[in-house]
Amino acid sequence: MALKSLGNEGLFLFSSLDTNNDLYISPEEFKPIAEKLTGITPISALEEEEEVLDPNGEMLSLVAKFQPLLMETMTKSKDGFLGISHEALSGLRNWTVPASPMSMMLAQQFKTFLPSKNKLELGDPWWIIPSELNIFTGYLPNNRFYPPAPKGKEIIVHKLLSMFHPRPFVKTRFAPQGAVACIQAVAEFYYKIAFRIHAEFQLNEPPDFPFWFSPAQFTGYIILSKDSSHVREFKLAVPNNRGKVPMEQTELKGPGKATEGQGKWQ
């Protein structure tokens, strides 16, 4: 029915804006068109406020660990690593340990994961970091080395991912983009919140060409007091329910030229 009413191009435009697939364009989803037509970009919710943290609040100790990429699993690329110089892979080969195996953070920083007042039902999802990709924005450029400074709710996600590598991009070049969450369980003083994050890392620095490392997703959960003063449990990982982790790499050979590969990160 929708295809008959809108046609292929109209349905594609509608689908690119209908981010929750409810066949209804909300004011929030209409924003890209409004901004395009008016030329006015309102202040992002991510930038509206920077909360002052209590330095005497509870501190949380986090540990990061991973096993390096198994090079022999790079079998799903069209041509593997053929034609790619050893120097171009230096960022990947040298990434064998987390950038920060341990980090201390204030429990209050995890307030980002708390739901808004209209998202208190079990399983009702909300955006932590909204996707900004749509038919108007296109994709973000490949030819970048250093991520932009994180703002608002991006900050805690950037801090967490920086424990693995110093150059995480919390907004991926391609869809899916952003971070979402939902309440899994509720107790008198706590929420258990499940989340999913799409992010990627830039492994190379000049003079090499960019080399992108893009895990399929990061998922996890947090058990957090409703006032964000205490974190009881926190876990973030790339799912490995099959024993191995799907991911992609994109290596730029020069302007407009790229090679993609797939492999396993355990």
Side-chain angles (χ1 to χ4, degrees):
M1 182 69 175
L3 178 61
K4 185 177 180 181
S5 301
L6 300 174
N8 286 321
E9 292 185 1
L11 181 59
F12 177 75
L13 172 59
F14 183 91
S15 299
S16 73
L17 297 171
D18 183 23
T19 55
N20 60 0
N21 298 315
D22 65 351
L23 298 179
Y24 168 77
I25 301 297
S26 67
E28 184 68 21
E29 292 169 329
F30 186 74
K31 278 175 63 178
I33 290 182
E35 292 169 8
K36 190 75 173 179
L37 294 177
T38 64
I40 300 173
T41 303
I43 297 175
S44 167
L46 291 173
E47 304 174 32
E48 284 179 356
E49 56 178 290
E50 294 290 339
E51 186 173 353
V52 178
L53 300 174
D54 179 5
N56 298 315
E58 177 185 275
M59 296 295 293
L60 182 66
S61 176
L62 295 115
V63 175
K65 56 185 178 179
F66 73 90
Q67 293 181 349
L69 176 72
L70 302 176
M71 305 299 286
E72 63 271 19
T73 67
M74 294 298 299
T75 57
K76 292 189 177 181
S77 172
K78 289 189 240 178
D79 54 7
F81 282 134
L82 294 177
I84 301 178
S85 68
H86 187 82
E87 290 76 14
L89 295 174
S90 60
L92 178 63
R93 294 183 186 278
N94 295 333
W95 188 29
T96 58
V97 295
S100 301
M102 182 172 288
S103 181
M104 299 294 293
M105 298 185 192
L106 284 164
Q108 288 176 302
Q109 291 178 276
F110 291 81
K111 184 179 181 179
T112 293
F113 291 93
L114 286 176
S116 58
K117 292 181 180 180
N118 63 337
K119 292 291 182 180
L120 299 179
E121 297 295 324
L122 293 179
D124 190 8
W126 70 87
W127 288 103
I128 299 174
I129 301 175
S131 172
E132 296 181 350
L133 297 178
N134 56 62
I135 193 172
F136 296 113
T137 62
Y139 302 130
L140 298 181
N142 284 317
N143 194 23
R144 294 177 293 160
F145 289 98
Y146 305 106
K151 299 177 182 178
K153 293 183 178 181
E154 298 171 358
I155 293 174
I156 182 63
V157 175
H158 185 272
K159 279 181 176 289
L160 292 167
L161 297 181
S162 292
M163 293 181 67
F164 294 103
H165 193 276
R167 291 184 297 281
F169 283 71
V170 298
K171 293 179 179 176
T172 53
R173 296 161 294 154
F174 310 104
Q177 185 191 75
V180 294
C182 70
I183 297 175
Q184 273 191 325
V186 182
E188 184 178 0
F189 299 109
Y190 291 92
Y191 289 120
K192 181 179 181 182
I193 295 169
F195 57 84
R196 172 170 172 162
I197 298 168
H198 290 282
E200 54 191 348
F201 301 97
Q202 177 51 244
L203 303 190
N204 281 356
E205 291 186 280
D208 293 323
F209 290 118
F211 191 102
W212 293 90
F213 184 88
S214 309
Q217 61 181 281
F218 292 88
T219 60
Y221 66 88
I222 183 171
I223 300 177
L224 176 67
S225 65
K226 294 180 179 180
D227 64 358
S228 74
S229 64
H230 175 61
V231 175
R232 188 168 183 176
E233 192 171 343
F234 177 83
K235 182 178 180 179
L236 177 148
V238 176
N240 63 345
N241 55 325
R242 295 184 179 181
K244 296 181 179 180
V245 177
M247 55 79 206
E248 289 190 355
Q249 300 98 30
T250 304
E251 188 261 342
L252 297 190
K253 296 180 178 179
K257 298 179 181 179
T259 295
E260 293 188 357
Q262 293 183 334
K264 304 296 180 182
W265 190 41
Q266 291 189 323

